[in-house]
Amino acid sequence: MDNAPCHPESLKGKFSTINVVFFSKNTPSKTPPLDVGINASRNVLYGKRMHRYVSSKVYGVKNAVEIVKSIKVLMGIEWGR
């Protein structure tokens, strides 16, 4: 973990099955985040699904605002899974 205030040192040794290790100061800024690949693939999947939805609605509406207003939060969550 990094040294953000939301990551207290009291987490160290608290769990028997998880080994919590803290990076030294400024280490995360010098190393790339480990989850970049996971987030990138999820964003690509989300973008494809949103594009497919928007494309399917283009001919049935008068303007783009109607398409945007038709997108629900649950739809966005499902597109990212």
Side-chain angles (χ1 to χ4, degrees):
M1 293 189 148
D2 59 9
N3 292 314
C6 59
H7 301 145
E9 285 280 336
S10 61
L11 292 176
K12 201 171 192 176
K14 184 175 183 177
F15 307 102
S16 61
T17 57
I18 300 172
N19 183 20
V20 178
V21 178
F22 287 90
F23 292 118
S24 51
K25 281 193 168 196
N26 298 324
T27 300
S29 65
K30 295 176 184 173
T31 59
L34 302 174
D35 61 347
V36 168
I38 295 168
N39 289 334
S41 62
R42 183 190 44 140
N43 289 339
V44 167
L45 180 62
Y46 175 86
K48 284 181 180 179
R49 290 179 175 172
M50 184 178 64
H51 185 266
R52 188 178 307 140
Y53 175 80
V54 170
S55 297
S56 71
K57 301 292 181 189
V58 167
Y59 293 108
V61 296
K62 294 178 183 174
N63 57 36
V65 175
E66 289 182 35
I67 296 173
V68 173
K69 285 185 177 181
S70 71
I71 298 173
K72 307 294 182 218
V73 174
L74 183 58
M75 293 165 71
I77 293 169
E78 289 173 348
W79 291 340
R81 297 188 328 165

